[in-house]
């Protein structure tokens, strides 16, 4: 087998050559990019959703954080929304027939606010005019004439009754309440009540008989007087009604005429007019101060305010400033914020609500447009999610109190439901989409379209030019200083670094934007007019220094040999594995010593991480694959009988993943062959059952991690990393590693199989099995096969000894 060759410096990262571009800075690059660049699938899904009416084909925009999901969605929706008509304003009005069921009214955008303002001005004019008319001299004169006529007629009737009473020996009087008083005349004067009580019974009987006859004679006059009282009230009411009708004709009728084409408003104005005319007494000016607290609480001024409040309107949704269809982002979708609510006011210790206390939610503001919801926000408010699904199912938004035992005891109202016609876009990640898809069948019914954002794009010439336009767009949008073409090329390479692939570009523009903002800030603090390549690299360096404290502390432990990892020398049953550690947003690679011990027995290979319950399921599966590989290679003519253990030394956290299974197998094979491994190398890669070394993640961080330790221990020119051949395109290494490789101080060797890796690590070929089942003499696998035979024999002898001992006892 040919020993695998190390990679050349040019293989270790993708490098964009700025000389291929005709411009020198971002100011020369167009910043005009279309919506959803690099996202053809999402663009197609959104276009489809917008062309399907109804409440079923809403959208779930799926993508990982930092892809700029909301920003790209807004960039797509804004031009679409401008092509839509502006929705009508919505107002709620008092329902005079069913006060507990307010009605909604639609007016063209902008007219709702104007109508409300004009109605308020009209009401104020009506109130002023009514007060003025009732205090006008002309009104007083008419009222005086009515009262004068009434009083003259009444006096005439009283005079006639008094004349008849005098003949009968009585006097007639009318008290302040209009009651008729008869007093007998005895000895030329009216008898007082106390004097009457002193009369003898016969005299009283005589007087009572006379009063009864008198009442019989004047009853017709009394009926006429009562009729005069009624006529007086009718005349006063007619006078007051004429005054109010004239005021309403002057002020309310013109406004009602302007909106007569709106059926609900025509009925509203007719009912409002009738209500005012029916309660004219509440419109009359107050005659004076109330007599007590009770009357103060119900005085006519308050009643007047109440009756006019019914005539006002509640501007529920105002689109006076909206251009095209509305786009609403529900930042805090609580039940009330999303679905609207009925507010309550406290009055005399009681809570009450009304049509003027109906408040709109984001759903109503976005009606006939687009509502954007972040899925983690809506799911954090279960009542909001339930209410949203109910609204989509019914096609109407019913504004109501949430289900609450205490609130259900409070008198409430039922506003007329609003028809809903809009597109809802849920923004979330893929795992939440899967959760909703299988856990809630209503989700699939109302969110039938999935728009999935891809995280990477191919690093083609066409895509690189589009990528540079996106970077230029960020610079223009955030008003940053220009970036040199070299700096922009470095950002393109950084995108490949984020993608962990030389042939791809990461589309996490929000992360790139952060780096650009930091570089621009450094440029401003350095009084430079643009961001150069060197300045960008300096900002990268400063950022790494800000967040790499834990990495620095770990490397210090390697320096002091507190963490024992050898970077040179040889050892049997020992190998250097690599892992990626993450603290917050900082990921870095670290080497670990993997150790294997073997002995005679039937225990097999123990995974100490699993035994200590520190290993995850993927790591456990990798250990079973290692055992399966041994069985397939060495258990064809004998059983594998041995006992041993594998572990990560100085590992105090959980171990998960299979990227160290190659190093674990290497340590095991070294222990079986009793052949040392060159500790100048570290090995990362997953192992298949056939012995193939398969790709893993984080290879750049792992290589840089081992390089950093080697550099601190001292580079010998023999050190390097073995990694899967399939991971060559994943390498995006820093300049320090590339320089060391160019100077032949460090090497990176891709391997396809464990056999290639073991030949590099031990210096011995693994060998192949001949037709008679024997490996080549002197090969690594020959040594392992012989050792396994010895362990099998030793285990057999041990069993015989144990059997003999048991028989002897």
């Amino acid at each position: 087998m040919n020993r695998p060759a190390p990679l050349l410096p040019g293989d270790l990262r993708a490098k964009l050559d700025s000389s291929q571009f005709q411009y020198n800075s971002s100011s020369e690059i167009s910043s005009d990019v279309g919506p959803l660049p690099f996202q053809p699938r999402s663009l197609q899904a959104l276009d489809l959703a917008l062309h399907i009416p109804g409440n079923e084909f809403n959208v779930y925009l799926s993508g990982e954080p930092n892809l700029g999901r909301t920003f790209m969605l807004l960039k797509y929706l804004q031009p679409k929304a401008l092509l839509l008509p502006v929705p009508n304003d919505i107002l709620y009005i008092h329902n005079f027939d069913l006060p507990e069921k307010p009605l909604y009214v639609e007016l063209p955008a902008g007219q709702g606010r104007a109508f409300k303002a004009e109605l308020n001005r009209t009401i104020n004019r009506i109130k002023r005019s009514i007060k003025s008319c009732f205090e006008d001299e002309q009104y007083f004169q008419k009222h005086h004439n009515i009262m004068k006529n009434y009083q003259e007629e009444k006096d005439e009737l009283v005079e006639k009754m008094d004349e008849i009473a005098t003949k009968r020996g009585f006097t007639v009087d009318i008290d302040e309440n209009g009651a008729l008083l008869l007093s007998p005349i005895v000895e030329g004067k009216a008898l007082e009540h106390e004097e009457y009580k002193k009369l003898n019974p016969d005299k009283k009987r005589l007087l009572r008989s006379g009063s009864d006859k008198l009442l019989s004679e004047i009853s017709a006059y009394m009926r006429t007087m009562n009729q005069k009282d009624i006529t007086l009230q009718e005349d006063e009411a007619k006078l007051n009604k004429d005054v109010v009708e004239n005021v309403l004709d002057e002020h309310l009728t013109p406004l009602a005429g302007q909106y007569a084409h709106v059926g609900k408003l025509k009925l509203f104005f007719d009912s409002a007019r009738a209500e005012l005319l029916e309660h004219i007494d509440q419109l009359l000016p107050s005659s004076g101060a109330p007599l007590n607290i009770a009357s103060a609480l119900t005085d006519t001024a308050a009643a007047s305010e109440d009756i006019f409040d019914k005539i006002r309107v509640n501007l529920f949704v105002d689109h006076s400033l909206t251009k095209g269809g509305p786009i609403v982002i529900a930042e805090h979708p609580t039940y009330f914020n999303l679905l609207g609510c009925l507010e309550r006011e406290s009055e005399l210790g009681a809570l009450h609500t009304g049509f003027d206390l109906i408040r709109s939610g984001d759903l109503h503001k976005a009606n006939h447009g687009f509502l954007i919801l972040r899925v983690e926000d809506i799911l954090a408010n279960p009542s909001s999610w339930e209410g949203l699904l109910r609204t989509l199912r019914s096609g109407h938004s019913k504004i109501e109190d949430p289900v609450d035992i205490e609130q259900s005891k409070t008198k409430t109202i039922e506003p007329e439901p609003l028809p809903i016609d809009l597109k809802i876009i849920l923004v979330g990640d893929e795992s939440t989409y899967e959760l909703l898809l299988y856990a809630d069948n209503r989700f699939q019914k109302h969110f039938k379209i999935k728009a999935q954002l891809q995280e990477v794009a191919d690093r083609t010439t066409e895509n690189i030019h589009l990528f540079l336009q996106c970077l230029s767009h960020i610079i223009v949008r955030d008003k940053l200083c220009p970036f040199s073409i070299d700096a922009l090329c470095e950002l393109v390479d950084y995108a490949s670094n984020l993608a962990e692939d030389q042939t791809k570009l990461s589309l996490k523009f929000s992360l790139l934007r952060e780096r650009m903002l930091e570089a621009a800030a450094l440029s401003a603090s350095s009084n430079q007019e643009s961001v150069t390549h060197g300045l960008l690299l300096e900002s990268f360096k400063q950022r790494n220094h800000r967040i790499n404290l834990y990495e620095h502390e770990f490397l210090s432990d390697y320096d002091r040999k507190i963490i024992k990892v050898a970077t040179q020398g040889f050892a049997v049953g020992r190998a250097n594995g690599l892992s990626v550690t993450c603290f917050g947003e900082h990921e870095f690679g670290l080497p670990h010593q993997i150790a294997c011990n073997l002995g005679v027995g039937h225990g097999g290979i123990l995974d100490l991480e699993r035994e200590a319950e520190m290993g995850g399921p993927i790591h456990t599966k990798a250990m079973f694959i290692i055992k399966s590989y041994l069985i397939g290679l060495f258990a064809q003519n004998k059983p594998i009988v041995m006992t041993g253990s594998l572990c990560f030394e100085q590992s105090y956290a959980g171990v998960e993943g299979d990227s160290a299974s190659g190093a674990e197998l290497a340590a095991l094979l070294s222990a079986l062959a009793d052949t040392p491994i060159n500790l100048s190398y570290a090995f990362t890669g997953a192992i298949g059952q056939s012995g193939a070394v398969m790709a893993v993640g984080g290879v750049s961080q792992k290589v840089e991690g081992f390089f950093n330790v080697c550099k601190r221990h001292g580079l010998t020119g023999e050190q390097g990393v073995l990694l899967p051949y399939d991971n060559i395109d994943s390498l995006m290494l820093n300049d320090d590693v590339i320089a060391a490789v160019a100077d032949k101080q460090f090497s990176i060797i891709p391997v396809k199989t464990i056999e290639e890796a073991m030949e590099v690590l031990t210096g011995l070929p693994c060998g192949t099995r001949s037709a008679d089942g024997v490996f080549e003499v002197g090969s690594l696998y020959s040594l392992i096969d012989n050792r396994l035979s010895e362990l099998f024999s030793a285990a057999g002898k041990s069993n015989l000894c144990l059997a003999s001992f048991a028989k002897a006892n």
Side-chain angles (χ1 to χ4, degrees):
M1 181 181 297
N2 295 326
R3 183 185 176 103
L7 295 176
L8 299 175
D11 301 325
L12 303 183
R13 67 170 295 165
K15 187 70 174 177
L16 184 60
D17 185 5
S18 62
S19 63
Q20 64 181 288
F21 301 102
Q22 299 177 350
Y23 25 73
N24 297 315
S25 75
S26 60
S27 57
E28 303 173 26
I29 302 175
S30 171
S31 61
D32 184 18
V33 292
L36 296 170
F38 306 106
Q39 303 293 346
R41 292 178 178 84
S42 297
L43 193 61
Q44 183 190 54
L46 289 169
D47 282 340
L48 177 64
L50 265 58
H51 285 86
I52 301 179
N55 294 326
E56 295 180 84
F57 285 82
N58 296 295
V59 181
Y60 187 99
L61 182 65
S62 174
E64 294 303 309
N66 296 315
L67 284 174
R69 299 171 298 189
T70 305
F71 173 78
M72 287 192 291
L73 183 59
L74 287 174
K75 190 173 178 61
Y76 169 81
L77 290 178
Q78 284 166 351
K80 304 289 184 183
L82 289 175
L83 301 177
L84 298 177
V86 181
N88 290 334
D89 292 340
I90 306 294
L91 305 98
Y92 268 100
I93 59 175
H94 179 71
N95 186 341
F96 289 92
D97 294 328
L98 295 172
E100 71 279 5
K101 295 186 176 182
L103 304 173
Y104 76 84
V105 175
E106 294 190 44
L107 290 176
Q111 290 189 22
R113 179 181 292 274
F115 172 67
K116 179 179 179 180
E118 183 58 31
L119 181 58
N120 288 337
R121 287 192 293 268
T122 299
I123 290 173
N124 291 333
R125 286 195 293 265
I126 290 173
K127 292 166 69 175
R128 289 194 301 267
S129 295
I130 288 177
K131 181 180 179 182
S132 176
C133 287
F134 281 125
E135 294 176 352
D136 185 68
E137 183 63 32
Q138 187 178 2
Y139 171 79
F140 280 120
Q141 185 61 45
K142 290 181 179 179
H143 188 264
H144 173 72
N145 292 336
I146 292 173
M147 293 300 297
K148 179 181 177 182
N149 293 335
Y150 166 76
Q151 193 63 44
E152 289 176 350
E153 293 174 355
K154 182 178 179 182
D155 290 344
E156 183 179 348
L157 289 172
V158 171
E159 184 178 346
K160 289 181 180 180
M161 288 189 292
D162 187 55
E163 182 180 346
I164 296 172
T166 302
K167 293 178 181 180
R168 296 291 183 183
F170 287 88
T171 62
V172 174
D173 193 15
I174 306 294
D175 68 7
E176 60 182 12
N177 294 321
L180 181 66
L181 299 176
L182 293 178
S183 301
I185 301 174
V186 178
E187 296 179 356
K189 67 173 184 176
L191 196 64
E192 298 290 339
H193 181 65
E194 293 297 327
E195 294 174 331
Y196 175 79
K197 290 169 58 178
K198 296 177 182 180
L199 295 175
N200 60 56
D202 293 338
K203 186 66 173 176
K204 288 181 179 178
R205 192 164 40 253
L206 181 63
L207 291 175
R208 191 179 303 115
S209 174
S211 67
D212 290 342
K213 292 179 180 179
L214 176 61
L215 286 173
S216 177
E217 289 185 39
I218 66 174
S219 60
Y221 293 101
M222 292 177 62
R223 286 194 296 273
T224 303
M225 184 175 291
N226 290 336
Q227 186 60 46
K228 294 297 181 183
D229 289 339
I230 295 173
T231 303
L232 172 65
Q233 294 176 3
E234 290 176 349
D235 289 343
E236 285 184 320
K238 185 177 183 306
L239 174 62
N240 293 337
K241 182 178 180 181
D242 289 342
V243 170
V244 173
E245 279 191 325
N246 289 334
V247 171
L248 296 181
D249 288 342
E250 181 183 356
H251 299 293
L252 189 63
T253 301
L255 181 61
Q258 293 180 30
Y259 294 92
H261 62 283
V262 182
K264 289 182 180 179
L265 284 184
K266 184 179 186 304
L267 181 61
F268 169 74
F269 279 115
D270 291 343
S271 300
R273 183 186 183 91
E275 182 81 4
L276 291 173
L277 294 176
E278 185 179 349
H279 298 88
I280 290 177
D281 56 319
Q282 297 182 20
L283 304 177
L284 298 177
S286 177
S287 59
L291 298 177
N292 51 48
I293 295 177
S295 60
L297 297 174
T298 57
D299 95 312
T300 56
S304 177
E305 289 299 325
D306 290 342
I307 194 170
F308 279 111
D309 284 346
K310 294 178 183 178
I311 305 174
R312 301 184 190 275
V313 296
N314 175 9
L315 183 55
F316 185 69
V317 178
D318 179 15
H319 285 299
S320 58
L321 300 179
T322 304
K323 296 180 180 179
I327 302 175
V328 176
I329 302 176
E331 297 290 356
H332 188 204
T334 62
Y335 185 91
F336 291 159
N337 290 345
L338 180 65
L339 302 170
C341 67
L342 302 176
E343 292 184 348
R344 299 187 183 277
E345 290 181 345
S346 176
E347 183 174 319
L348 301 179
L351 295 176
H352 73 93
T353 186
F355 78 95
D356 55 328
L357 295 176
I358 305 171
R359 298 292 178 258
S360 62
D362 291 330
L363 185 70
H364 311 105
K365 298 170 185 174
N367 200 17
H368 303 291
F370 307 97
L371 176 63
I372 300 173
L373 286 161
R374 296 181 180 89
V375 69
E376 63 271 15
D377 293 337
I378 185 73
L379 294 183
N381 295 274
S383 59
S384 300
W385 176 244
E386 293 295 326
L388 179 65
L389 292 178
R390 285 196 302 269
T391 300
L392 291 175
R393 182 179 61 219
S394 66
H396 289 80
S397 171
K398 186 176 182 181
I399 304 168
E400 56 188 354
D401 290 318
V403 178
D404 187 288
I405 295 177
E406 292 301 320
Q407 289 195 4
S408 65
K409 298 177 182 178
T410 307
K411 186 177 180 181
T412 187
I413 58 176
E414 296 180 19
E416 183 181 8
L418 282 167
I420 292 297
D421 180 21
L422 76 167
K423 286 299 175 186
I424 299 175
I425 300 98
L426 283 179
V427 179
D429 56 23
E430 185 66 22
S431 60
T432 308
Y433 175 81
E434 295 290 330
L435 175 67
L436 290 172
L437 186 65
Y438 297 115
D440 193 335
N441 56 8
R442 298 169 299 174
F443 170 75
Q444 187 175 12
K445 182 177 180 179
H446 295 293
F447 291 86
K448 294 183 180 296
I449 294 185
K450 176 185 178 184
Q452 192 165 16
L453 297 175
Q454 61 190 61
E455 295 185 47
V456 296
D458 292 334
R459 185 169 165 149
T460 62
T461 300
E462 180 182 358
N463 282 348
I464 288 174
H465 281 84
L466 180 56
F467 201 88
L468 290 174
Q469 284 183 272
C470 292
L471 296 180
S472 178
H473 178 77
I474 293 174
I475 293 170
V476 173
R477 187 190 75 202
D478 291 310
K479 300 179 181 179
L480 306 180
C481 61
F483 280 59
S484 70
I485 187 60
D486 290 333
L488 292 175
C489 290
E490 185 65 36
L491 287 169
V492 173
D493 294 341
Y494 181 72
S496 293
N497 194 347
L498 291 175
E500 296 187 15
D501 196 325
Q502 297 178 12
T503 66
K504 302 290 182 181
L505 294 171
S506 172
L507 300 179
K508 294 184 177 180
F509 284 104
S510 63
L511 295 180
L512 288 163
R513 176 176 173 272
E514 291 175 12
R515 306 293 86 78
M516 295 168 72
L517 289 172
E518 293 171 5
L522 184 61
S523 172
S525 64
S526 304
N527 295 321
Q528 297 193 32
E529 296 181 353
S530 65
V531 176
T532 63
H533 180 261
L535 198 61
L536 180 65
L537 293 180
E538 178 62 25
S539 71
F540 285 173
K541 181 179 178 181
Q542 289 186 11
R543 178 180 181 274
N544 186 65
H545 179 72
R546 290 195 305 271
I547 64 177
N548 75 344
L549 175 62
Y550 287 111
E551 179 183 11
H552 175 77
E553 291 179 350
F554 271 111
L555 291 176
S556 297
D557 289 341
Y558 284 101
D559 294 343
R560 299 160 58 194
K561 305 295 175 64
I562 295 176
I563 300 178
K564 301 188 181 303
V565 171
T567 56
Q568 52 186 305
F570 294 84
V572 175
R574 301 287 184 272
N576 289 331
L578 298 172
S579 69
V580 174
T581 300
C582 181
F583 282 94
E585 59 180 327
H586 185 51
E587 293 184 357
F588 54 94
L590 292 174
H592 297 276
Q593 181 173 269
I594 297 174
C596 177
N597 289 329
L598 293 176
V600 178
H602 295 270
I605 302 296
L606 294 177
D607 177 9
L608 296 187
E609 310 299 334
R610 181 188 178 198
E611 297 296 321
E613 298 183 352
M614 295 175 64
I618 298 177
H619 180 263
T620 299
K621 178 185 177 183
M623 293 301 301
F624 286 128
I625 291 175
I626 289 175
K627 294 175 184 178
S628 178
Y629 173 74
L630 289 179
I631 291 171
L633 196 60
F634 299 109
Q636 302 303 310
N637 54 8
K638 62 183 177 302
I640 295 179
V641 180
M642 63 177 177
T643 188
S645 63
L646 273 169
C647 77
F648 281 75
E649 295 193 340
Q650 293 184 288
S651 173
Y652 307 106
V655 176
E656 178 60 317
D658 60 358
S659 64
S661 59
E664 289 175 303
L665 178 56
L668 175 59
L669 295 177
S670 169
L672 286 170
D674 196 25
T675 300
I677 281 179
N678 187 350
L679 298 179
S680 297
Y681 292 103
F683 183 20
T684 183
I687 293 296
Q689 288 192 98
S690 64
V693 179
M694 296 179 294
V696 294
V699 288
S700 294
Q701 292 95 326
K702 292 173 181 178
V703 171
E704 291 170 359
F706 186 65
F707 172 79
N708 289 335
V709 174
C710 292
K711 185 177 180 180
R712 296 168 86 99
H713 287 179
L715 294 174
T716 64
E718 300 295 326
Q719 293 140 332
V721 173
L722 278 65
L723 49 77
Y725 183 87
D726 294 337
N727 273 130
I728 293 177
D729 285 343
S730 303
L731 291 172
M732 287 295 295
L733 298 174
N734 61 38
D735 292 339
D736 289 345
V737 178
I738 295 175
V741 170
D743 293 339
K744 301 190 182 303
Q745 293 295 303
F746 197 77
S747 59
I748 298 169
I749 304 173
V751 294
K752 297 180 179 179
T753 63
I754 187 63
E755 289 80 13
E756 291 182 351
M758 292 307 295
E759 182 169 349
V760 175
L761 293 172
T762 64
L764 293 178
C766 289
T768 56
R769 190 191 296 272
S770 61
D772 57 1
V774 179
F775 287 98
E776 298 175 42
V777 177
S779 67
L780 185 69
Y781 282 174
S782 174
L783 297 175
I784 293 173
D785 196 42
N786 294 335
R787 179 70 184 281
L788 289 174
S789 298
E790 293 173 1
L791 292 173
F792 173 65
S793 299
K797 293 178 181 179
S798 174
N799 289 339
L800 289 174
C801 292
L802 289 173
S804 300
F805 177 76
K807 185 177 182 180
N809 289 287

